[in-house]
C-alpha cells in the first residue's frame, strides 16, 4: 500500500508541517523575542502558540493513522518534518550559521524513513 497515493497521506504531511512551524516557534522563538522577559512570560506565550500546534498535530496523526500509517511511521515522518522546519528556522529566523551536521542528521533520518516504510 502506498501511503501517499491518496489525499489523506498528503493531508497528514501538510498538517504536520504546519504543526511543526508552530511547535518550533513555541519551543525556540522566545529565545530571541522574549530573551529579556521573565521565563514565565515566555512559558505562557509558548503554551498559547503550542495550542495551535496541537490543534493541527492531533488531527494530522488521526488522519494519518486512519490512512494506514502505523505509529512508527507517523513518528518518523514527524521527525523528518521537524528537521526540515527547524533548519530554516534556526538559520533565517534565529540567525544561526548553516552546519554540515544538518546534512548528516538529514541523511540519518532518511535511513530511518527507509527502514520504517520499507514494509509498507
Amino acid at each position: 500500500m502506498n501511503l501517499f497515493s491518496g489525499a489523506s497521506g498528503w493531508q497528514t504531511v501538510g498538517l504536520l508541517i504546519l504543526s511543526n512551524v508552530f511547535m518550533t516557534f513555541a519551543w525556540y522563538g522566545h529565545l530571541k523575542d522574549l530573551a529579556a522577559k521573565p521565563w514565565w512570560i515566555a512559558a505562557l506565550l509558548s503554551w498559547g502558540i503550542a495550542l495551535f500546534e496541537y490543534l493541527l498535530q492531533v488531527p494530522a496523526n488521526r488522519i494519518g493513522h486512519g490512512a494506514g500509517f502505523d505509529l512508527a511511521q507517523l513518528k518518523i515522518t514527524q521527525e523528518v518534518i521537524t528537521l526540515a522546519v527547524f533548519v530554516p528556522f534556526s538559520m533565517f529566523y534565529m540567525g544561526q550559521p548553516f552546519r554540515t551536521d544538518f546534512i548528516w542528521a538529514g541523511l540519518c533520518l532518511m535511513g530511518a524513513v527507509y527502514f520504517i516504510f520499507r514494509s509498507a
Side-chain angles (χ1 to χ4, degrees):
M1 175 173 84
N2 183 351
L3 296 172
F4 294 100
S5 62
S8 296
W10 291 110
Q11 188 177 21
T12 298
V13 169
L15 287 170
L16 286 174
I17 290 169
L18 292 172
S19 170
N20 269 274
V21 169
F22 282 105
M23 177 194 75
T24 302
F25 274 94
W27 286 21
Y28 303 106
H30 63 87
L31 297 174
K32 176 180 178 182
D33 299 329
L34 301 173
K37 301 286 185 192
W39 73 266
W40 59 270
I41 291 175
L44 289 173
L45 183 61
S46 292
W47 286 342
I49 295 169
L51 171 64
F52 294 102
E53 173 205 350
Y54 281 96
L55 290 173
L56 296 165
Q57 179 266 340
V58 171
N61 283 331
R62 292 175 68 94
I63 292 166
H65 194 257
F69 285 84
D70 66 28
L71 292 178
Q73 290 169 337
L74 284 169
K75 183 60 181 172
I76 292 300
T77 301
Q78 188 272 328
E79 293 301 334
V80 169
I81 291 168
T82 295
L83 185 64
V85 168
F86 180 77
V87 170
F89 170 85
S90 67
M91 291 173 56
F92 299 116
Y93 186 76
M94 297 296 285
Q96 299 291 306
F98 176 79
R99 296 172 34 194
T100 55
D101 291 339
F102 296 153
I103 294 171
W104 306 132
L107 289 172
C108 289
L109 283 174
M110 289 300 106
V113 168
Y114 169 76
F115 287 111
I116 291 299
F117 281 91
R118 70 180 167 165
S119 62

